[in-house]
Amino acid sequence: MSPGKLHFFYQFLKYPRMIGSITPSSIFLARAMVAPVHWDEADVIVELGAGTGVFTRLILQKKKNGSRVYIFEKNVQLRQQLIRQYPSFTHRENAEHLSSSLYEAGEEYADVILSGLPFTVFPKPLTRQITNEVYRSLKPGGQFITFQFS
């Protein structure tokens, strides 16, 4: 097992209701997730539950120059790793405060929100709160792309 996967597995064992999977998302899933994104129209890109950054790497490769990227990761160790790897992106802790975080950064809406959050393991009130935040934060006609394990 690679050091990154081992670290992710350890974080899952410590925080199973936050991490939601024993292994990080694969590059194949990440490619499928980002395929429908209209990159040429995406000025504000949000990733919820970035984990080890498999989607984040593709966002960096595919975003247009001048796009602003906001990465939300609640797990402290994973977030610190993402901050080191992607210092040009804005990093936040809590997807429950998505709309206020964007507002504070001077953004009206997100054009694209990609989510790796494990909604199926979250308490229902938390899932409801975050999905309401997505609804408030996504511009009309914007894209919300997510996946779930069950």
Side-chain angles (χ1 to χ4, degrees):
M1 188 179 289
S2 74
K5 286 184 179 180
L6 188 59
H7 178 69
F8 189 88
F9 179 68
Y10 175 71
Q11 293 302 310
F12 169 78
L13 291 176
K14 282 178 68 176
Y15 309 104
R17 303 227 8 115
M18 183 192 306
I19 302 294
S21 173
I22 62 170
T23 185
S25 300
S26 72
I27 189 63
F28 304 106
L29 174 60
R31 287 181 186 143
M33 287 276 292
V34 302
V37 173
H38 305 292
W39 295 105
D40 56 329
E41 300 171 15
D43 293 318
V44 179
I45 302 161
V46 172
E47 182 181 2
L48 305 177
T52 61
V54 68
F55 301 150
T56 317
R57 281 188 285 286
L58 291 176
I59 291 170
L60 180 65
Q61 292 171 10
K62 294 182 173 292
K63 73 175 190 66
K64 68 180 179 178
N65 287 336
S67 291
R68 295 164 310 281
V69 180
Y70 298 85
I71 305 298
F72 288 77
E73 176 53 56
K74 194 163 192 162
N75 182 278
V76 175
Q77 289 81 16
L78 296 175
R79 187 172 62 255
Q80 288 173 344
Q81 179 182 328
L82 291 163
I83 290 168
R84 285 191 298 276
Q85 290 178 308
Y86 305 97
S88 64
F89 294 170
T90 301
H91 297 268
R92 296 289 184 260
E93 175 183 350
N94 204 329
E96 295 167 67
H97 305 295
L98 173 59
S99 61
S100 61
S101 293
L102 290 177
Y103 179 79
E104 290 168 6
E107 306 291 358
E108 189 172 1
Y109 295 109
D111 298 296
V112 176
I113 300 174
L114 296 165
S115 175
L117 292 175
F119 289 116
T120 56
V121 300
F122 286 172
K124 290 200 185 308
L126 178 59
T127 297
R128 200 172 11 260
Q129 183 177 1
I130 294 172
T131 54
N132 285 337
E133 284 294 303
V134 167
Y135 180 77
R136 277 188 210 103
S137 302
L138 193 62
K139 82 171 188 180
Q143 295 178 282
F144 175 54
I145 304 169
T146 189
F147 73 96
Q148 292 299 292
F149 293 115
S150 61

